[in-house]
Amino acid sequence: MSDSCLSLPQTLYTAAQVKAAEINAVNSGACSLYELVEQAGSAAMEILESSEHCNLATVVLVGKGNNGADALVVARLLLTRGNRARVLLLGQGKTQEYAAAMAAFVEVGGITEAFTESALEGAEVIIDGVLGTGSSGELSEDLQQCFNAVNSSPAWVLSLDMPSGVNADTGNVSPVAIQADVTLCFGGLKQGLFTSRARHFAGLIRYASLGLTDFLAKFPAEAQRVDAGYLKDLLGRRPRDSHKGKSGKVTIMGGNYGMAGAVRLAGEACLRAGAGLVTVISRPEHQLTVNANRPELMFWGCELVDMEVYLRLGWADVLVLGPGLGKDDWGYNLYKAVGLSDKPCVLDADALNLLSKEPCRQINRVLTPHPGEAARLLGVSTAEIEVDRFAAVRQLQERFGGVVLLKGAGTLIYDGDTLVVAPVGNPGLASGGCGDVLSGIIAALMAQGLDTMTATIAGVVIHGEAADLAALAGERGMLASDLMPFIRQLVNSDLI
């Protein structure tokens, strides 16, 4: 499990919701805005003390909003502990809270100066209080130069609330952001921290509630975060009289010419995740590839979609279509056959590309697009998908129904009611076949009785956790097949 998600709340909010909670807290008399600023600065100081960074050469970057006010509180607290940090201003502060924080800092002997790149030389710690949740749209050239200078520095970086330059609602970066070692999020966890480019820039994520928990509880959660804890008690022990017919039957279709490995990987992942029986329908030439080292997979060679294929569709509890499918007549005919079935199904890879050409809406299926496939499904560019992944997954579900799983850094899962963010896995998954493995896991969990949403969430978590275990030997060079022993371990672990 990523350290960045330890001891964090599950509920995620937009920046506007957290701001509204702050206003409600102030209006109720619970606190003032300046008291929230003081609490934020004190929480940041606790991070510095616990990480033993409070006595090092420090530069504090101060923006012109209340994020800058938070940073000024940190600078004052450092000064009272004997650390005369350099305080660099990036603009003139405009809020009452900023003015109050500046006055308190000056009162204890604090001195400020305008930002220059040379002032970062020799810094061991940088406090990022530039933008916080105010990052949206294009950055000025001066800010871009500042952020690039910070990223070029060897200093340890603590970002207050959000890494400056990262959009709190989408996680997108345009065009550059400060890369933090730790991000201390205030009030409520912002949904953008856990997906898109934010996964690279946020570093370890820490959290300070500032007493806003009860006020935030009045707002509907925008999304829920999940991690390995989601697996606890999910499947339970199998009855002692279980047999293979009761453990779920899955038919996996795909593996066009040159792509036999895709269905082979999906099939083994399905078995490793607990399915009792798995049939692979593929090109006849691929039987040796599929069965040579995994004879437990049943195989049916298909040249034409005939009655035997339909019998195997009817036999299954769950269908998987897409790994290595191709978009020629052979793949298209299998796609049409699955469309005539009423069985729950998982669509991946070229099945999604075929769906983009003949859109239809269906309830009992799981769509598993990566950003490129999502772009084809919505008729937009991949860049447009990545600008706002939350909006994209909602649009996909509205148009195509079922459960939509938008892959990427911080996978998003949406069924029309609940939106889940799964910040699991690592860059080692950026290799061929890993998506096929995920489809097999999800289908196996569905075949064992989990509903489509639960199976999809659990499948993503198992997939990501297996990748983290496999990556202990290194992310670079990790193969999809390296996940297999860990999939089995996770579906049988003490968490479940």
Side-chain angles (χ1 to χ4, degrees):
M1 182 193 308
S2 171
D3 288 341
S4 66
C5 291
L6 292 174
S7 304
L8 296 179
Q10 302 298 116
T11 305
L12 308 180
Y13 297 97
T14 64
Q17 286 178 316
V18 177
K19 184 64 177 177
E22 292 176 357
I23 293 171
N24 289 346
V26 171
N27 291 340
S28 73
C31 61
S32 67
L33 282 178
Y34 185 71
E35 287 172 334
L36 290 175
V37 167
E38 283 285 338
Q39 288 185 59
S42 296
M45 191 65 197
E46 290 178 11
I47 293 288
L48 294 173
E49 290 175 333
S50 65
S51 60
E52 299 183 351
H53 285 92
C54 62
N55 295 317
L56 301 178
T58 302
V59 170
V60 181
L61 302 179
V62 179
K64 58 187 179 181
N66 280 356
N67 195 240
D70 299 338
L72 285 167
V73 172
V74 179
R76 189 192 80 228
L77 294 175
L78 285 169
L79 185 56
T80 60
R81 286 162 173 77
N83 185 334
R84 187 168 287 278
R86 296 189 74 173
V87 178
L88 309 181
L89 304 183
L90 290 108
Q92 183 65 41
K94 297 180 178 180
T95 70
Q96 293 180 352
E97 293 70 38
Y98 181 100
M102 179 64 79
F105 174 61
V106 171
E107 186 176 348
V108 297
I111 300 173
T112 65
E113 55 188 297
F115 172 81
T116 59
E117 291 187 32
S118 61
L120 297 180
E121 294 177 6
E124 296 173 287
V125 173
I126 296 175
I127 308 299
D128 164 26
V130 183
L131 292 177
T133 58
S135 299
S136 60
E138 292 292 330
L139 300 174
S140 69
E141 185 175 337
D142 288 344
L143 285 181
Q144 291 184 46
Q145 291 176 351
C146 170
F147 296 174
N148 284 325
V150 172
N151 293 341
S152 298
S153 168
W156 182 88
V157 179
L158 171 64
S159 285
L160 305 182
D161 211 8
M162 291 289 297
S164 291
V166 175
N167 187 294
D169 292 338
T170 67
N172 190 39
V173 171
S174 178
V176 66
I178 287 178
Q179 187 172 347
D181 291 282
V182 174
T183 297
L184 176 59
C185 195
F186 298 133
L189 290 179
K190 283 63 175 191
Q191 64 180 28
L193 272 173
F194 299 93
T195 193
S196 192
R197 301 290 305 286
R199 292 269 282 155
H200 174 72
F201 287 94
L204 300 180
I205 299 172
R206 297 293 181 258
Y207 167 71
S209 71
L210 308 187
L212 296 179
T213 303
D214 290 343
F215 296 96
L216 276 170
K218 298 176 182 178
F219 295 96
E222 285 296 306
Q224 295 290 330
R225 181 185 61 83
V226 296
D227 52 29
Y230 186 82
L231 304 180
K232 186 174 177 60
D233 301 323
L234 191 64
L235 293 175
R237 288 175 58 85
R238 282 182 170 172
R240 296 300 88 188
D241 62 344
S242 292
H243 59 78
K244 61 188 178 184
K246 287 186 176 180
S247 299
K249 297 177 289 187
V250 179
T251 292
I252 299 174
M253 290 153 283
N256 211 327
Y257 293 126
M259 299 292 290
V263 283
R264 165 68 171 73
L265 287 165
E268 181 172 354
C270 197
L271 288 173
R272 292 299 187 189
L277 294 166
V278 178
T279 291
V280 170
I281 296 177
S282 187
R283 291 281 190 180
E285 297 89 336
H286 293 154
Q287 181 164 10
L288 181 61
T289 300
V290 172
N291 283 140
N293 294 311
R294 190 51 61 224
E296 297 88 347
L297 290 169
M298 295 179 285
F299 184 89
W300 178 254
C302 169
E303 287 285 7
L304 298 171
V305 176
D306 55 15
M307 188 54 64
E308 287 295 334
V309 170
Y310 283 103
L311 288 174
R312 282 161 175 77
L313 299 186
W315 164 86
D317 300 310
V318 178
L319 308 176
V320 178
L321 177 69
L325 182 67
K327 294 177 284 187
D328 60 7
D329 288 344
W330 184 83
Y332 178 74
N333 288 334
L334 283 171
Y335 172 79
K336 295 299 288 186
V338 169
L340 295 174
S341 171
D342 61 355
K343 296 295 179 70
C345 63
V346 179
L347 298 188
D348 186 22
D350 277 327
L352 298 171
N353 293 326
L354 290 168
L355 177 63
S356 70
K357 295 180 178 180
E358 296 185 4
C360 65
R361 201 172 193 280
Q362 189 173 319
I363 296 174
N364 64 334
R365 67 183 177 192
V366 179
L367 307 183
T368 65
H370 57 56
E373 291 159 346
R376 286 188 283 276
L377 286 166
L378 293 178
V380 299
S381 69
T382 302
E384 288 175 276
I385 296 293
E386 292 290 65
V387 163
D388 191 341
R389 289 166 53 79
F390 291 94
V393 77
R394 287 188 170 97
Q395 291 169 23
L396 286 164
Q397 201 284 330
E398 181 179 356
R399 183 172 299 183
F400 297 100
V403 175
V404 177
L405 183 169
L406 180 57
K407 298 173 185 174
T411 293
L412 304 185
I413 306 159
Y414 185 54
D415 66 352
D417 293 315
T418 302
L419 200 161
V420 169
V421 184
V424 296
N426 60 75
L429 288 171
S431 65
C434 289
D436 305 315
V437 169
L438 176 58
S439 293
I441 297 170
I442 294 170
L445 298 175
M446 290 167 61
Q448 291 172 81
L450 298 184
D451 64 78
T452 52
M453 182 64 166
T454 303
T456 303
I457 298 170
V460 168
V461 173
I462 290 169
H463 187 251
E465 292 294 312
D468 284 345
L469 292 169
L472 294 176
E475 292 178 358
R476 187 173 281 112
M478 189 173 79
L479 304 179
S481 54
D482 293 336
L483 275 60
M484 299 302 177
F486 302 111
I487 295 168
R488 182 183 181 189
Q489 176 181 322
L490 287 161
V491 296
N492 289 285
S493 71
D494 292 337
L495 284 172
I496 297 177

